Amino acid sequence: GGAAGLLEGIRVGVAVFVDSARVSRRLFPGDRGDVDLGGGLRLGLPGSGGSIRVDYGRGLIHPDNKVSFGFEL
């Protein structure tokens, strides 16, 4: 019962990633590339077959912060 009962069956995962991209045909002249380093958390919900994810990334070339979240099957 209680809080322990609510957490029963939830799967927890951790993600660490490096992501790179190059953007062309921008509104501003010139191409732009960046490399992000980040991490995330995954919570698998019992009976759903999917998971909720939250990711945070920080640009290594252009110091921008990025946060994304969603549900994945």
Side-chain angles (χ1 to χ4, degrees), residues 1-8:
L6 291 175
L7 298 177
E8 187 175 323

Side-chain angles (χ1 to χ4, degrees), residues 1-4 7 10 13 15 29-30 34 37 40 45 53-56 58 60 66 68:
L7 298 177
I10 293 180
D34 204 355
L37 176 65
L45 306 175
R53 63 161 186 81
V54 178
D55 294 318
Y56 168 80
R58 173 102 175 136
L60 299 178
K66 292 126 183 132
S68 68

Side-chain angles (χ1 to χ4, degrees), residues 41-57:
L41 180 66
R42 307 290 185 270
L43 297 175
L45 306 175
S48 72
S51 62
I52 296 172
R53 63 161 186 81
V54 178
D55 294 318
Y56 168 80

Side-chain angles (χ1 to χ4, degrees), residues 15-42:
V16 177
F17 61 87
V18 175
D19 183 18
S20 66
R22 181 155 197 85
V23 179
S24 60
R25 292 196 265 175
R26 300 172 1 132
L27 294 176
F28 304 103
D31 294 350
R32 177 175 171 170
D34 204 355
V35 177
D36 298 334
L37 176 65
L41 180 66
R42 307 290 185 270

